[in-house]
Amino acid sequence: MNPRVLTQADQIAIVTRRRLSDKVFRAILIFGGTTSFFVLLAIFLYLVQRSAPVLREFGLGFATNSIWYSGDGFPASQGSSDPANFGLFPMAYGTLLVALIAMVIAVPISVMLALGISYYMPKRVSAAVTFIVDLAASIPSVVFGLWGLFILVPHARYWAQLLNRYLDWIPIFDVTFPSFDQSPFVAGLVLALMITPIVTSISREIFSQTPLELIQGAYALGATRAAMIRNIVLPFGRGGVVGGAMLGLGRAMGETVAVFFVLQLFYDQTNWFRILESQGGNVASLIVARYGEATEFELAGLFGAGLVLFILTLGANLVASSIISRTTKKKRVSKK
Amino acid sequence: MIDKVEIQKPWREQSPKRVATAISPALIPILVASILVKTTGLDGKLGFVFSWVLASTVTIVIWPVVIKKRASRGDLFMQTSVVFAGGIFLGAVAWLFQSVLAPGLRAFRFSLLVKDAATVGVDTPLDQGGLLHAILGSLVIVGLATLISVPFGILAALYITEVRGRLVPFTRFFIQAMSGVPSIVAGLFIYAALIVSKVLPFTGLTGSLALAILMLPTVARTAEEVIRLVPDELRYAALALGGTQMRTVLQVVLPSARTGLITATILGIARVAGETAPLLLTAFGSNTTNLNPFSGTMATLPWYIFTQMTLGTENDVARAWVAALVLMVIVAMFFVLARTLGKSKMARR
């Protein structure tokens, strides 16, 4: 009996033949892979459709005006005597300001803490700290709001008054009226504590992937721990740290209830930089504050606010992923 | 055969002297400040912070002068910064836990866990009614959200790691973008798409859908990372044994990433368990127990905390603290459970 010799054509057929199960499996995976795109598209389209009356009425003014007045519930174009007028600028700017304060506080602490966990603490301590960080990441935002309103605000008032009394020659610590309770500063503190665990755990994960040979090489060359971190760990993990920070930024901008309780909203005035003043803006808080009693036209305005928030956070993510992809590309080149 | 070599991690070794030099620049100013506050005319928080800032400045100026080598100075500065960062974060978290748990425990009564709020009005004393409806509602809504989002999240992760098709960069980009969707926007979307359009009324299901949107990217990203860690050799081996791609993924890749997938699910749950804003717009809330997510509004713990806070009276805020305590305990329990599950699985293998 002659064993059948495989021809080359047979071999190719064996290698390339796709079974039906694989085709079905792939189709299912492709379906799963594209879900996120369709969800995002649906969010965008629905928000545009629902906010269309307001966008048509005010155009670009919706994003640049500083007013939020529902009047008798109808716009001027429908012959209203007490026309509704919506402009989102103070809210949108306030969202950025608060998120920025949170980032300035949280990112340095997170990076240092992540370095500490990966390279400084003894093994048991670092395991315990990692556990605490991950546990802190799961503290619900409404608990932060509760804590911020009843516990943090009285303390923050004291320190804010202090900063204001001695440092009011620095513009950001100046106030126009002496009320310090629900300021962007307090909201920024709460958000900073919220996003620190997120940024920390992502940075830590990236740092722990630093190739061991490089670290050992640096030590073999006589580097101190700080020199090793500066020259090996940080360049290696830069993209990841920026990515984690941007993730934190997105979370900070979209955070709702924690900020809702610790920030006083001013609809018709922009608080440019006085971070200690009890006056700020936040798109997400605006939606929670107004949606309960909104007329149909104002509801369209709130959908518009949601759309603006959606675009803001999407923009932050876009910037983040472009930075990350650029740094990782650079890393790949330098590795060769 | 190559002998097994233990991997050297010299940076893990800490002599007591190193620890002392690392911690002292952070501790000395605190000590000096406390002594000054106790012994001199300075007092209160202001006095403490003033003398602390002064002492820190002096220490930071003097410390490097004591150390002769330049490299060591940099090293020491880094160590001090790490100690500071850790101290600030751990201190803040400890303060948060302490100040949430204390009033929660003070107001805690066992009856609060087994009764719902059907008979509770504004400022009702704490021995009447409870928050059972909110606990059960939270479990149902988050559970349903998990059932919806975890399969999609793992599918998306598998698409990125296993199919490796042309759409991979786009998929990753959109998952990244979706992780940035604010919770309130997810709620608004479900509100606009289902509730205002009269497809569904306010139900637990709409709440679950809103939470699933928030959960999906967290699950997908974490799952992608852990599936990526599965060595390609395992895939080659499975394919070489004649497995189809489906069998390779289902019987080799997913089981070896199981621990990580559990972590991904738990991270997703932790991400949404405390979400309030989308539930305000979708599940709406209720004072009675409702276990059916397909009809009627549903209470959840975060919603309960939110409304009790806005009521603002003494007993209502006390109820909010208790609810916060319960919510944190539930979340922590899930978290610890996931950790131990993951660990024991790993040990067995």
Side-chain angles (χ1 to χ4, degrees), chain B residues 116-140:
Chain B
D116 65 19
T119 58
V120 177
V122 174
D123 209 11
T124 313
L126 284 170
D127 49 6
Q128 292 173 32
L131 39 87
L132 180 70
H133 62 307
I135 299 174
L136 294 177
S138 260
L139 290 182
V140 170

Side-chain angles (χ1 to χ4, degrees), chain A residues 275-290:
Chain A
I275 60 171
L276 296 182
E277 197 165 286
S278 172
Q279 171 189 348
N282 193 283
V283 178
S285 299
L286 167 86
I287 297 170
V288 170
R290 302 294 307 178

Side-chain angles (χ1 to χ4, degrees), chain A residues 40-102:
Chain A
L40 281 175
L41 191 70
I43 292 176
F44 183 75
L45 290 181
Y46 267 105
L47 288 181
V48 168
Q49 185 217 340
R50 290 286 161 196
S51 60
V54 165
L55 295 181
R56 229 179 287 128
E57 178 77 21
F58 304 113
L60 203 59
F62 183 67
T64 55
N65 290 345
S66 301
I67 189 163
W68 197 272
Y69 179 68
S70 59
D72 60 3
F74 294 102
S77 65
Q78 289 180 18
S80 164
S81 55
D82 186 14
N85 198 354
F86 301 128
L88 202 63
F89 185 76
M91 299 294 118
Y93 179 80
T95 305
L96 289 176
L97 181 69
V98 171
L100 197 71
I101 295 170

Side-chain angles (χ1 to χ4, degrees), chain A residues 50 120 134 147 212 226 291, chain B residues 7 14 75 99 197 280 339:
Chain A
R50 290 286 161 196
Y120 280 89
D134 290 348
W147 175 75
L212 199 62
Y291 108 97
Chain B
I7 297 166
Q14 295 274 26
D75 202 30
S99 53
S197 315
L280 288 175
R339 278 289 168 102

